[in-house]
C-alpha cells in the first residue's frame, strides 16, 4: 500500500488530473458544500440519540469497562473537538489550516507507512473494505474532501445546538469562544474509537495521525500544554519513558497518574472517601490512564 500511495503521489504531480495537484493549487473548497461528501458524512454520523447520550456515556460503566472505545488525547476535554479546532475551520478562515491541508494533499507518501500498518492489522474479513477505503482516501481529492470533510464535520458538531428533544444539558457549557456541545463531542469520540476498523474509525484514526504529523512539522499550532492540577508541573519525560496521565470521568479533566494516586489517598483521609476532581470539584466516578505522545 505504501508503494501505491507513492505512485499516486508521483502520478498526481505530473498528470494534473482530478486526483493530481491541479485540485490542490486552487482556492480551497469547503467539503461540506459538496453533496457527495455530505452524503458520505451522513453515513458516518452518530445518530441523534447517540449525540444526545454522549454526556451520559463519558461517566458510564460501559466506558469504565472498555476505555479503549473512546478516542482520547491527553489534556483535551474531547479529542474530536481538538481535531475540529485544529484542522476543521472553514476554508478561507484559517490560513495555517488551509496551508496544512495543501501540504498533505501534495505529500501523500507521508501516509504510506500508516496505510501499510492499517491493512496488515485489519481482520481478514475487513481487509478488502479497508483497502477500498484507503484507495478513496489517499489521493489529493480524498485528502481535501474526505479527510478534511471529517475535520469540518467535527468542527461543526461541536458548535451545533443540542437537538430540542434533549431538553438542554448541563454538560453543554460555554468555553470562552462560544457555546460548545460537549455531549456531541464525546459522542464523536466514542463513535470513532468504538470500532477501530469501521469506516469512521479508520478515517478518524488517520485524521488524528495527520494532525499529529502537521504539529510535529510546525504547520499547525502545537498541543495544548498539559498542567497537572495537583502539583502544577508541566509536561515532562521521566527516565525510561513518558509520564502517565489519567482522564477523570465524567468531567474529562486530566491529572498525572502519580499525583492522582496521592490525591485519592488524600480524599480518602480528609474527605471520608469522597473523591472529587481537583479542577472542578465534581464527583469522580473513575479514572482511565493514557500516555502523552512524544
Amino acid at each position: 500500500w505504501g508503494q501505491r500511495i507513492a505512485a499516486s503521489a508521483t502520478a498526481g504531480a505530473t498528470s494534473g488530473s482530478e486526483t493530481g495537484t491541479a485540485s490542490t493549487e486552487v482556492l480551497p473548497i469547503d467539503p461540506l458544500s459538496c453533496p457527495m461528501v455530505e452524503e458520505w458524512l451522513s453515513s458516518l454520523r452518530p445518530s441523534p440519540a447517540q449525540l444526545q447520550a454522549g454526556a451520559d456515556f463519558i461517566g458510564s460503566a460501559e466506558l469504565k469497562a472498555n476505555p479503549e472505545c473512546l478516542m482520547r488525547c491527553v489534556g483535551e476535554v474531547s479529542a474530536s473537538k481538538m481535531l475540529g479546532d485544529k484542522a476543521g475551520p472553514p476554508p478561507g478562515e484559517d490560513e495555517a489550516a488551509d496551508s496544512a491541508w495543501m501540504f498533505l494533499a501534495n505529500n501523500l507518501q507521508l501516509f504510506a507507512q500508516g496505510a501499510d500498518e492499517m491493512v496488515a492489522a485489519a481482520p481478514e474479513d475487513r481487509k478488502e473494505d479497508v483497502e477500498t477505503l484507503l484507495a478513496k482516501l489517499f489521493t489529493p481529492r480524498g485528502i481535501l474532501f474526505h479527510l478534511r470533510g471529517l475535520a469540518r464535520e467535527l468542527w461543526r458538531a461541536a458548535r451545533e445546538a443540542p437537538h430540542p428533544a434533549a431538553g438542554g444539558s448541563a454538560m453543554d457549557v460555554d468555553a470562552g469562544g462560544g457555546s460548545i456541545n460537549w455531549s456531541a463531542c464525546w459522542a464523536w469520540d466514542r463513535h470513532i474509537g468504538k470500532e477501530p476498523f469501521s469506516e469512521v474509525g479508520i478515517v478518524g484514526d488517520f485524521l488524528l495521525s495527520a494532525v499529529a504529523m502537521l504539529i510535529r512539522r510546525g504547520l499547525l499550532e502545537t498541543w495544548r500544554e498539559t498542567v497537572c492540577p495537583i502539583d502544577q508541573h508541566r509536561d515532562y519525560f521521566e527516565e525510561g519513558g513518558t509520564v502517565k496521565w489519567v482522564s477523570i470521568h465524567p468531567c474529562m479533566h486530566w491529572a498525572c497518574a502519580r499525583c492522582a494516586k496521592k490525591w485519592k489517598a488524600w480524599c480518602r483521609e480528609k474527605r471520608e472517601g469522597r473523591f472529587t476532581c481537583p479542577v472542578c470539584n465534581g464527583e469522580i466516578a473513575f479514572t482511565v490512564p493514557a500516555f502523552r505522545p512524544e
Side-chain angles (χ1 to χ4, degrees):
W1 257 100
Q3 293 177 341
R4 294 188 194 181
I5 292 174
S8 176
T10 302
T14 59
S15 69
S17 66
E18 182 185 43
T19 58
T21 56
S23 63
T24 70
E25 293 171 351
V26 298
L27 290 175
I29 299 172
D30 191 346
L32 300 186
S33 68
C34 176
M36 290 183 64
V37 175
E38 182 62 35
E39 181 180 359
W40 174 72
L41 287 170
S42 69
S43 72
L44 301 186
R45 291 187 186 108
S47 68
Q50 290 171 328
L51 290 171
Q52 295 167 25
D56 293 330
F57 173 73
I58 211 70
S60 68
E62 178 188 353
L63 177 58
K64 182 178 181 180
N66 302 284
E68 71 282 355
C69 72
L70 184 76
M71 180 176 66
R72 294 177 299 143
C73 184
V74 172
E76 300 291 344
V77 176
S78 164
S80 65
K81 180 181 181 297
M82 177 274 293
L83 293 175
D85 287 348
K86 290 187 179 298
E93 290 191 10
D94 187 317
E95 184 177 350
D98 289 343
S99 297
W101 281 109
M102 294 297 188
F103 173 82
L104 290 178
N106 286 304
N107 290 276
L108 298 177
Q109 71 278 3
L110 296 175
F111 294 98
Q113 181 178 346
D116 282 338
E117 292 173 351
M118 180 67 73
V119 173
E124 286 299 323
D125 63 343
R126 288 287 299 149
K127 284 189 185 295
E128 185 176 349
D129 291 337
V130 170
E131 290 182 344
T132 299
L133 174 60
L134 296 182
K136 176 173 68 174
L137 193 60
F138 292 125
T139 67
R141 184 176 181 84
I143 295 296
L144 293 176
F145 282 86
H146 290 89
L147 198 61
R148 189 174 192 177
L150 180 60
R152 289 285 295 115
E153 176 69 18
L154 298 180
W155 184 93
R156 178 170 67 178
R159 290 156 177 80
E160 284 189 334
H163 192 279
S169 169
M171 303 304 293
D172 298 313
V173 297
D174 186 87
S179 184
I180 300 299
N181 188 341
W182 290 112
S183 186
C185 294
W186 293 326
W188 270 105
D189 291 338
R190 178 193 189 187
H191 197 50
I192 291 172
K194 189 174 183 180
E195 297 182 28
F197 292 101
S198 65
E199 187 161 355
V200 70
I202 292 170
V203 182
D205 185 67
F206 275 110
L207 177 59
L208 181 59
S209 297
V211 168
M213 183 192 309
L214 292 168
I215 290 173
R216 287 195 300 271
R217 291 172 177 268
L219 298 174
L220 287 180
E221 185 179 350
T222 190
W223 303 108
R224 184 194 309 274
E225 183 180 45
T226 307
V227 181
C228 178
I230 299 171
D231 70 357
Q232 298 296 299
H233 77 256
R234 263 64 176 171
D235 286 336
Y236 65 90
F237 296 97
E238 293 177 322
E239 184 177 352
T242 59
V243 175
K244 183 187 289 186
W245 295 79
V246 297
S247 53
I248 300 170
H249 297 258
C251 64
M252 281 303 294
H253 291 123
W254 291 80
C256 74
R258 183 162 49 192
C259 286
K261 184 176 181 179
K262 295 177 182 178
W263 179 259
K264 188 174 182 179
W266 182 86
C267 287
R268 183 179 294 110
E269 177 184 352
K270 303 295 185 180
R271 296 186 173 180
E272 299 180 347
R274 179 175 175 265
F275 302 121
T276 59
C277 173
V279 178
C280 65
N281 205 38
E283 294 285 343
I284 297 176
F286 56 90
T287 60
V288 179
F291 286 97
R292 180 80 180 196
E294 294 190 43

